[in-house]
Amino acid sequence: MLITHDTRCALDTVVDLVNTAPEDDASPDALPDVGALEDFVQNHEISDVGVLSELDLSAVRRIRGRFASVFAAPDARAAAALINDLVAAAGTTPRLTDHDGYEWHVHYFAPGASVADHLAADCGMALAFFVVAGEQERLRRCEAPDCRRAFVDLSRNRSRRYCDSRTCGNRLHVAAYRARRKEAAG
């Protein structure tokens, strides 16, 4: 599957956005205020965003939950319905652009769109490409029991199970190794 630069950026953005949500009632929200949203926008180089407000923060949190539902969708049909709703509500207006030194690429948000509509349109379309390509199963959640972070499995054989093999994957492999050694020592 060919993934263009702008699609990859949108995928990274949507994964990071979904992962800002609290994992449970005791976890903090990684988008607690407008300043955190401004940092998120800047860190992900989201273009054409004006002054952000509490309304923007609230709208971004709402679409974050809707994107989380895409990662939890049981099949392509369910994912497609969720993505269609997100993209339609954003008032998608595809247009070619070559801003900030990047080659020609497509933006799906309308000029002057809110940050929430911008994210819904561009990130929604990036996820749509995976459904169209028959690759919806690559939109995953970490299989570590104490982690449910979202990620996109871009491995060649669709075998990635953890959001980060150095943390979640390694921790589980070490735990399994210790359990085997303990059982063998018996």
Side-chain angles (χ1 to χ4, degrees), residues 43 47 54 120 131:
N43 291 339
S47 60
E54 288 291 331
V131 174

Side-chain angles (χ1 to χ4, degrees), residues 5-174:
H5 171 76
D6 52 313
T7 299
R8 179 61 193 254
C9 289
L11 289 171
D12 291 343
T13 300
V14 72
V15 164
D16 289 347
L17 178 63
V18 168
N19 290 334
T20 64
E23 291 187 29
D24 55 38
D25 292 337
S27 300
D29 191 320
L31 285 179
D33 54 36
V34 174
L37 179 59
E38 288 169 347
D39 290 343
F40 183 89
V41 166
Q42 183 177 9
N43 291 339
H44 290 85
E45 299 178 356
I46 300 170
S47 60
D48 297 331
V49 174
V51 177
L52 299 173
S53 69
E54 288 291 331
L55 291 173
D56 291 309
L57 178 62
S58 179
V60 168
R61 284 179 176 164
R62 276 193 305 278
I63 66 154
R64 174 181 70 184
R66 296 176 74 190
F67 278 128
S69 297
V70 173
F71 280 84
D75 56 38
R77 185 167 303 284
L82 293 164
I83 293 167
N84 283 340
D85 288 347
L86 269 163
V87 172
T92 306
T93 307
R95 62 189 169 94
L96 289 168
T97 183
D98 66 344
H99 65 89
D100 298 330
Y102 293 108
E103 295 296 322
W104 288 105
H105 60 282
V106 179
H107 279 188
Y108 295 96
F109 59 94
S114 70
V115 67
D117 285 346
H118 178 136
L119 290 168
D122 272 2
C123 296
M125 289 305 299
L127 295 176
F129 295 141
F130 275 77
V131 174
V132 167
E135 302 284 352
Q136 181 261 335
E137 74 276 359
R138 289 182 182 267
L139 308 176
R140 298 191 176 163
R141 291 290 190 156
C142 184
E143 291 183 19
D146 59 341
C147 180
R148 296 300 301 150
R149 293 179 61 84
F151 67 94
V152 178
D153 179 3
L154 297 177
S155 67
R156 176 171 274 147
N157 62 356
R158 298 176 188 90
S159 62
R160 188 169 161 199
R161 297 174 49 208
Y162 306 110
C163 63
D164 186 344
S165 61
R166 291 178 311 236
T167 55
C168 290
N170 193 41
R171 188 176 62 246
L172 287 174
H173 289 117
V174 168

